[in-house]
Amino acid sequence: MSNKIALITGASRGLGKSMALHLAAQGVDVVVTYRSQQDEANDVVKQIEQTCAQAAALPLDVSQASSFPHFRTALEQVLGQKWGRKDFDFLVNNAGIGINAPFAETSEEQFDQLMNIQLKGPFFLTQALLPIIIDGGRIINISTGLSRFVLPGFATYAAMKGAMEVLTRYQAKELGSRGISVNILAPGAIETDFGGGVVRDNKQVNNFIASQTALGRVGLPEDIGKAVTMLLSEEAGWINGQRIEASGGMFL
């Protein structure tokens, strides 16, 4: 039986890379997308192909919704050439950026940038790809712990993620007739280069977060990679329309 295929946006580094490698370790083939880090994306493909899985990398700027029809065409070509398929199984809307700006100082440009990447992008990308997601497939959106707890400077970012959480429930309801489940995973603070690497590189920030986390440490990329793999497993097939937080118990 051929492997299932997952498409993960923003998978050249950070959480997306961890998701791709953990899924591949479970025998899932992966299409990774990248915006500018082509060499890093190709390296992820090489790492995946050293396992029992296959992989491919495609460029995608999720802030440019007008490019999605072209991306779908490119994806269909790769699926046909590499897998002999016209469809895929799992979509993980992971690509994103963080902007730290107080509410009172957030510019319209910053708002629009976050909206295009964190809300409009996954909304219309998922819409564009729906015809080639298999019936019975899975969609995972990515939120943030900041949609539950509040840290100053993330009002716009968290608001977009909160909107994604509402959208997830609507998607789950409306796509249920096709057997497609939709959930949203909310990571806590993770040691990556996200947001300039502040959680990873600033020891004071790292120690503070660890002190406010029930399990006593900051999250690692592999924690999220494992969580996505779990949500895409056969065992998780009855979980649908849910927000699942993977934060080690931050600010309980």
Side-chain angles (χ1 to χ4, degrees), residues 48 102 190:
I48 290 172
I190 309 290

Side-chain angles (χ1 to χ4, degrees), residues 148-216:
R148 175 178 64 84
F149 51 78
V150 175
L151 292 174
F154 295 101
T156 308
Y157 174 78
M160 299 306 166
K161 292 300 194 181
M164 283 301 301
E165 293 181 7
V166 174
L167 176 63
T168 295
R169 296 195 295 274
Y170 275 81
Q171 289 173 326
K173 186 77 168 181
E174 295 191 20
L175 301 181
S177 61
R178 290 183 52 192
I180 296 174
S181 68
V182 190
N183 294 292
I184 189 159
L185 181 68
I190 309 290
E191 288 187 5
T192 69
D193 55 8
F194 188 83
V198 62
V199 173
R200 179 191 61 203
D201 301 332
N202 186 315
K203 189 164 182 59
Q204 185 177 1
V205 170
N206 193 293
N207 288 341
F208 169 73
I209 293 170
S211 74
Q212 299 298 316
T213 302
L215 292 181

Side-chain angles (χ1 to χ4, degrees), residues 4-21:
K4 293 183 183 298
I5 302 171
L7 171 66
I8 306 174
T9 64
S12 64
R13 57 196 174 111
L15 300 186
K17 177 180 178 179
S18 178
M19 296 170 193
L21 295 177

Side-chain angles (χ1 to χ4, degrees), residues 81-112:
Q81 293 166 0
K82 196 171 187 76
W83 284 279
R85 287 181 57 177
K86 298 178 180 179
D87 51 22
F88 67 103
D89 304 89
F90 307 139
L91 171 62
V92 184
N93 286 306
N94 167 72
I97 64 164
I99 295 176
N100 187 329
F103 166 73
E105 299 171 17
T106 300
S107 67
E108 186 175 357
E109 181 183 11
Q110 289 173 318
F111 182 97
D112 288 346

Side-chain angles (χ1 to χ4, degrees), residues 1-4 27 29 52 54 85 89 234:
M1 191 175 91
S2 61
N3 290 354
K4 293 183 183 298
D29 294 341
C52 59
Q54 296 187 77
R85 287 181 57 177
D89 304 89
E234 291 297 323

Side-chain angles (χ1 to χ4, degrees), residues 20-28 51-53:
L21 295 177
H22 278 88
L23 282 170
Q26 297 300 315
V28 177
T51 70
C52 59

